[in-house]
């Protein structure tokens, strides 16, 4: 926790002053998502192909996977996200398991997650999670991939954290290329190139094994 807070305090410059995340929904989220988002269509097993996210270790771990289960019995509808990775990467690594939880919001394509470790600097324990693109333009079709952006502001409105996750139901280079093109066309380069550390971490799933999906 102290390490994370040290990064938050010293390492990340503000990319935008005053209201870093205020226009994310209007300007970055794809219109298809805003008009047609259905949380039930994001259920399933997704492999993280790349990320820009300093809360995840770089060059140490790998085999990142997200198993998303939708609970429609709750109000609002909730997403149980079983996130796993191996440290070190590869078949001989040790599974690291985290249970994440998100709720739907009144804005289609925007989820709400808890991130209490940001609260001392943001003044809030909520992390908005924006579904920027979902990999299909067919209404009612399950989403083959998810391009997610978590955007958190400091108390003064400057950018505190921008986490970008490339989740896909397959692990192909073709899908990653398609997702990277979507990230570029939707304006995420400003966060990827300007954040700390800059750039994307590409996940190698070679020789990966994964824990049970009900771990």
């Amino acid at each position: 926790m102290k390490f994370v807070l040290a990064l938050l305090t010293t390492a990340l410059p503000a990319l935008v002053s005053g209201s870093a995340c205020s226009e994310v929904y209007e300007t970055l989220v794809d219109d298809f998502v805003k008009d047609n988002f259905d949380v039930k269509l994001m259920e399933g097993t997704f492999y993280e192909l790349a990320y820009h996210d300093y809360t995840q270790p770089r060059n140490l771990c790998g085999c990142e996977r997200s198993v998303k289960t939708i609970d429609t019995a709750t109000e609002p509808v909730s997403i149980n996200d079983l996130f796993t990775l191996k440290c070190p990467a590869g078949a001989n690594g040790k599974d690291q398991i985290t249970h994440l939880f998100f709720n739907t919001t009144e804005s289609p394509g925007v989820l709400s997650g808890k991130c209490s470790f940001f609260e001392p600097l943001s003044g809030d324990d909520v992390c908005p999670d924006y579904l920027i693109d979902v990999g299909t333009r067919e209404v009612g079709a399950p989403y083959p991939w998810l391009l997610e952006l978590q955007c958190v502001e400091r108390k003064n409105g400057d950018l505190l954290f921008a986490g970008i996750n490339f989740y896909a139901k397959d692990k192909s280079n073709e899908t990653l290329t398609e997702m990277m093109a979507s990230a570029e066309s939707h304006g995420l380069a400003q966060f990827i190139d300007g954040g700390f550390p800059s750039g994307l971490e590409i996940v190698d799933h070679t020789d990966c094994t994964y824990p049970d999906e009900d771990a």
Side-chain angles (χ1 to χ4, degrees):
M1 179 67 72
K2 291 181 179 178
F3 174 71
V4 172
L5 287 176
L7 276 176
L8 297 178
T9 304
T10 63
L12 185 67
L15 299 184
V16 183
S17 296
S19 55
C21 304
S22 63
E23 296 183 0
V24 165
Y25 187 70
E26 292 300 327
T27 62
L28 302 185
V29 175
D30 196 273
D31 286 341
F32 178 86
V33 177
K34 287 187 280 192
D35 293 340
N36 302 286
F37 179 70
D38 183 345
V39 67
K40 296 187 295 296
L41 301 177
M42 64 180 289
E43 188 166 59
T45 298
F46 294 84
Y47 302 95
E48 188 169 45
L49 304 186
Y51 60 87
H52 172 85
D53 184 343
Y54 64 68
T55 67
Q56 291 185 229
R58 302 187 74 183
N59 305 316
L60 295 174
C61 305
C63 304
E64 286 89 339
R65 187 192 66 180
S66 170
V67 181
K68 302 179 188 295
T69 304
I70 311 304
D71 188 351
T72 58
T74 62
E75 180 59 42
V77 174
S78 60
I79 301 94
N80 299 314
D81 187 339
L82 174 66
F83 182 80
T84 62
L85 68 161
K86 282 188 182 292
C87 300
N92 295 322
K94 183 177 180 180
D95 290 325
Q96 309 294 321
I97 298 173
T98 303
H99 292 270
L100 304 173
F101 300 94
F102 299 89
N103 290 323
T104 54
T105 70
E106 294 181 355
S107 299
V110 182
L111 309 177
S112 175
K114 291 289 186 180
C115 50
S116 58
F117 48 84
F118 288 130
E119 189 171 5
L121 298 175
S122 68
D124 199 343
D125 65 350
V126 173
C127 279
D129 184 27
Y130 300 90
L131 277 294
I132 302 297
D133 198 358
V134 294
T136 183
R137 296 297 179 266
E138 181 181 347
V139 176
Y143 302 148
W145 51 257
L146 305 170
L147 183 58
E148 298 186 27
L149 166 66
Q150 299 88 46
C151 194
V152 181
E153 296 178 354
R154 295 179 182 271
K155 293 177 182 179
N156 67 356
D158 289 347
L159 182 66
L160 173 61
F161 172 71
I164 302 171
N165 307 97
F166 293 64
Y167 290 123
K169 288 185 175 178
D170 72 87
K171 297 177 276 188
S172 69
N173 289 330
E174 291 78 11
T175 295
L176 177 57
T177 298
E178 181 181 339
M179 296 182 74
M180 292 176 71
S182 176
E184 177 72 24
S185 67
H186 286 89
L188 296 186
Q190 61 180 311
F191 298 105
I192 294 172
D193 297 334
F196 179 89
S198 63
L200 285 175
E201 183 81 2
I202 305 300
V203 179
D204 183 1
H205 285 271
T206 303
D207 297 327
C208 284
T209 60
Y210 308 93
D212 292 341
E213 295 191 358
D214 58 355

XYZ file of all heavy atoms in Angstrom, residues 8 22 45 50 60 92 109 121 124 134 153 157 159 171 182 196 204 210:
136
model
N 1.551 7.206 -6.508
C 0.483 8.164 -6.755
C 0.933 9.578 -6.436
O 0.569 10.535 -7.109
C -0.738 7.821 -5.892
C -1.411 6.481 -6.145
C -2.555 6.288 -5.164
C -1.916 6.380 -7.560
N -13.567 14.600 -16.960
C -14.951 15.056 -17.096
C -15.537 14.806 -18.478
O -16.750 14.664 -18.621
C -15.048 16.547 -16.759
O -14.294 17.319 -17.676
N -14.976 -15.209 -20.143
C -13.552 -15.264 -19.826
C -12.773 -14.429 -20.831
O -12.877 -14.639 -22.044
C -13.049 -16.716 -19.861
O -13.743 -17.472 -18.856
C -11.557 -16.786 -19.595
N -2.921 -6.577 -23.251
C -2.023 -5.445 -23.021
C -2.648 -4.559 -21.960
O -3.852 -4.626 -21.698
C -1.795 -4.658 -24.311
N 7.361 -8.527 -14.309
C 7.467 -9.493 -13.216
C 6.477 -10.635 -13.365
O 6.814 -11.785 -13.100
C 7.224 -8.800 -11.868
C 8.231 -7.740 -11.424
C 7.741 -7.068 -10.147
C 9.596 -8.368 -11.196
N 5.335 -22.025 -14.425
C 5.890 -22.269 -13.092
C 5.598 -21.150 -12.100
O 6.041 -21.200 -10.952
C 7.407 -22.475 -13.189
C 7.762 -23.723 -13.982
O 7.082 -24.745 -13.875
N 8.810 -23.636 -14.792
N -22.437 1.875 -20.409
C -21.020 1.697 -20.674
C -20.108 2.227 -19.592
O -18.887 2.159 -19.735
N -5.868 10.866 -2.035
C -5.516 11.891 -3.012
C -6.688 12.315 -3.890
O -6.696 13.425 -4.425
C -4.373 11.393 -3.900
C -3.063 11.086 -3.163
C -2.044 10.485 -4.104
C -2.504 12.355 -2.529
N -12.234 10.289 -2.912
C -13.341 9.382 -3.204
C -12.778 7.975 -3.323
O -11.627 7.791 -3.727
C -14.013 9.793 -4.519
C -15.413 9.218 -4.675
O -15.743 8.258 -3.953
O -16.167 9.719 -5.531
N -16.237 -2.273 -27.569
C -16.569 -3.648 -27.193
C -16.348 -4.650 -28.325
O -16.730 -5.810 -28.211
C -18.025 -3.740 -26.688
C -18.187 -2.964 -25.383
C -19.012 -3.234 -27.738
N -9.499 11.378 -10.886
C -8.949 12.723 -10.730
C -8.447 12.957 -9.309
O -8.960 12.388 -8.350
C -10.017 13.774 -11.041
C -10.524 13.768 -12.462
C -11.623 14.796 -12.686
O -12.062 15.421 -11.689
O -12.048 14.967 -13.840
N -8.906 18.172 -9.544
C -9.354 17.910 -10.899
C -8.276 17.450 -11.850
O -8.577 17.048 -12.977
N -5.365 14.904 -13.365
C -5.374 13.455 -13.526
C -4.517 12.783 -12.463
O -3.352 13.128 -12.271
C -4.855 13.074 -14.913
C -4.866 11.577 -15.230
C -6.288 11.054 -15.304
C -4.123 11.290 -16.529
N -6.553 -14.867 -27.758
C -5.222 -14.343 -27.451
C -4.416 -14.047 -28.716
O -3.186 -14.032 -28.674
C -4.470 -15.349 -26.567
C -5.131 -15.570 -25.214
C -4.417 -16.619 -24.381
C -4.850 -18.009 -24.735
N -4.298 -19.029 -23.806
N -8.286 0.575 -32.293
C -9.444 1.193 -31.656
C -9.008 2.189 -30.588
O -9.569 3.289 -30.473
C -10.339 0.117 -31.035
O -11.415 0.699 -30.332
N 2.517 7.736 -16.671
C 3.728 7.139 -16.100
C 3.393 5.747 -15.598
O 2.471 5.593 -14.799
C 4.264 7.974 -14.940
C 5.502 7.369 -14.326
C 6.753 7.697 -14.815
C 5.410 6.455 -13.288
C 7.895 7.132 -14.263
C 6.539 5.882 -12.737
C 7.785 6.225 -13.224
N 2.413 -11.668 -22.627
C 2.744 -12.898 -23.340
C 2.047 -14.064 -22.639
O 2.332 -14.369 -21.483
C 4.258 -13.103 -23.339
C 4.686 -14.331 -24.140
O 3.804 -15.008 -24.715
O 5.898 -14.609 -24.186
N -3.948 -21.429 -16.066
C -4.822 -20.513 -15.342
C -5.559 -21.270 -14.239
O -5.876 -22.456 -14.394
C -5.831 -19.879 -16.301
C -5.181 -19.248 -17.516
C -5.037 -19.976 -18.694
C -4.692 -17.953 -17.475
C -4.426 -19.417 -19.808
C -4.080 -17.380 -18.588
C -3.948 -18.119 -19.749
O -3.335 -17.569 -20.845
